[in-house]
């Protein structure tokens, strides 16, 4: 310890050069939660809660209130929201904010009425969906879906005289497309690519079915992501995709993970 230590504080003023007003170009909103109604493939409308983020690059000298502009425009679409809504919202935001570019991201839970494989018991399955679109310098739209799956380890099955370790995993599929693609279409691709689907409610005959299906269809995370990629490549309207698979291992503390995008496989 240094005796008689006296802390030194800087008291000099900033120079006139450093005190000039700094122009902040990128502004926006994060974490705005709002109720929306999303179009379903069957023609219905689903009520859900979206978490929204918006970012805009403003021209120098522009001090428009982005909060007021964004919320007033968003209110016009809450009654019925779809992928197509972005093609209307983004140009309006860009014009009202006089921005060079605007990007909007909306994440929400999406529910599907799903029947158990044997008993036909109905239950609601939850999936996480994201609409992300930009205009101007940050152009383009991406539809993302995350869905739970079951994976069963091929290695464990091969070396074990009875049983094999299996676990829940999560697949995230992001796509760009030339014609309309429904959320339900991406969920179908994901669920076809795993050892077995996941259900919210199962009875005893259903449990037997999913256990045996997974056992007869062992897959590493690499196998799952490879199949997601193949099905995405076969889809006539998907122009770009990326897919990630995380397996929450039941006998390891860590997760297993695999990733691929269409730029790597074309």
């Amino acid at each position: 310890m240094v005796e008689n230590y006296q802390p030194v504080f800087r008291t000099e003023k900033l120079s006139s050069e450093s005190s000039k007003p700094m122009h902040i170009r990128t502004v926006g909103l994060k974490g705005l939660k709002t109720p929306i109604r999303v179009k379903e493939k069957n023609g219905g409308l689903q009520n859900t809660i979206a978490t929204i983020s918006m970012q805009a690059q403003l021209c120098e000298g522009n001090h428009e209130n982005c909060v007021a502009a964004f919320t007033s425009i968003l209110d016009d679409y809450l009654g019925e929201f779809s992928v197509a809504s972005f093609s209307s919202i983004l140009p309006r935001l860009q014009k009202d904010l006089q921005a060079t570019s605007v990007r909007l991201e909306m994440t929400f839970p999406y529910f599907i009425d799903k029947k158990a494989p044997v008993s036909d018991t109905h239950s609601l399955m939850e999936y996480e969906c994201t609409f992300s679109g930009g205009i101007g310098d940050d152009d383009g739209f991406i539809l993302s879906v995350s869905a739970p799956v079951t994976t069963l380890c091929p290695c464990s099955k091969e070396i074990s005289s009875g049983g094999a370790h299996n676990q829940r995993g999560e697949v995230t599929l992001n796509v760009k497309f030339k014609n309309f693609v429904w959320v339900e279409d991406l969920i179908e691709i994901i669920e076809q690519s795993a050892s077995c689907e996941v259900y919210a409610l199962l009875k005893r005959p259903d449990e037997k079915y999913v256990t045996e299906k997974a056992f007869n269809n062992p897959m590493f995370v690499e196998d799952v992501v490879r199949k997601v990629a193949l099905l995405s490549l076969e889809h006539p309207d998907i122009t770009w995709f990326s897919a990630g698979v995380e397996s929450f291992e039941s006998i390891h503390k860590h997760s297993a993970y695999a990733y691929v995008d269409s730029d790597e496989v074309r």
Side-chain angles (χ1 to χ4, degrees):
M1 181 175 179
V2 180
E3 295 183 2
N4 301 320
Y5 170 75
Q6 295 293 326
V8 177
F9 299 97
R10 292 188 57 171
T11 58
E12 59 267 31
K13 294 182 179 180
L14 292 172
S15 68
S16 58
E17 184 67 24
S18 62
S19 61
K20 287 182 179 179
M22 182 182 296
H23 176 62
I24 306 298
R25 290 193 61 199
T26 304
V27 297
L29 303 172
K30 290 190 71 175
L32 174 66
K33 292 185 181 292
T34 186
I36 61 171
R37 302 179 75 195
V38 182
K39 283 186 178 180
E40 299 174 328
K41 188 175 182 179
N42 62 12
L45 288 171
Q46 182 172 144
N47 294 298
T48 186
I49 302 293
T51 301
I52 301 173
S53 298
M54 185 274 290
Q55 183 173 289
Q57 282 199 326
L58 305 181
C59 299
E60 188 168 356
N62 180 21
H63 302 288
E64 291 291 333
N65 187 332
C66 66
V67 176
F70 177 66
T71 53
S72 63
I73 291 173
L74 182 65
D75 284 344
D76 294 338
Y77 294 87
L78 297 183
E80 183 177 317
F81 206 93
S82 70
V83 171
S85 303
F86 274 64
S87 62
S88 300
I89 293 176
L90 292 172
R92 288 183 59 184
L93 277 172
Q94 186 181 37
K95 179 180 177 181
D96 287 10
L97 294 174
Q98 301 174 34
T100 59
S101 65
V102 176
R103 187 150 198 94
L104 174 64
E105 183 174 292
M106 176 177 291
T107 300
F108 54 92
Y110 190 80
F111 294 88
I112 291 180
D113 182 14
K114 191 172 182 181
K115 292 192 299 183
V118 178
S119 67
D120 286 341
T121 303
H122 287 259
S123 61
L124 287 177
M125 273 291 295
E126 178 186 350
Y127 305 89
E128 183 177 279
C129 302
T130 299
F131 295 164
S132 177
I135 192 172
D137 297 336
D138 193 9
D139 196 21
F141 182 89
I142 296 176
L143 171 60
S144 304
V145 173
S146 294
V149 296
T150 293
T151 59
L152 186 132
C153 178
C155 180
S156 176
K157 179 179 178 179
E158 183 178 348
I159 65 177
S160 301
S161 58
H165 82 81
N166 65 311
Q167 51 276 318
R168 185 167 52 85
E170 185 174 75
V171 181
T172 299
L173 177 58
N174 313 294
V175 302
K176 296 179 181 179
F177 46 85
K178 58 184 177 182
N179 293 313
F180 194 79
V181 175
W182 291 96
V183 166
E184 289 87 345
D185 297 336
L186 301 190
I187 292 172
E188 184 177 358
I189 288 176
I190 291 171
E191 292 184 335
Q192 288 179 354
S193 302
S195 296
C196 188
E197 300 177 35
V198 170
Y199 299 83
L201 181 61
L202 296 172
K203 296 187 176 181
R204 290 280 181 97
D206 304 309
E207 290 188 16
K208 179 179 185 297
Y209 174 89
V210 300
T211 301
E212 292 176 346
K213 181 178 179 181
F215 187 79
N216 292 323
N217 190 29
M219 302 184 81
F220 294 116
V221 287
E222 296 92 339
D223 300 320
V224 177
V225 82
R226 188 178 294 112
K227 190 168 182 181
V228 171
L230 290 173
L231 291 175
S232 299
L233 286 170
E234 292 172 1
H235 196 290
D237 295 318
I238 293 176
T239 59
W240 173 90
F241 70 85
S242 70
V245 180
E246 182 176 4
S247 178
F248 308 108
E249 297 288 281
S250 59
I251 63 170
H252 305 290
K253 185 175 176 57
H254 58 267
S255 293
Y257 182 76
Y259 172 90
V260 69
D261 66 51
S262 55
D263 297 332
E264 299 175 349
V265 296
R266 291 185 191 272

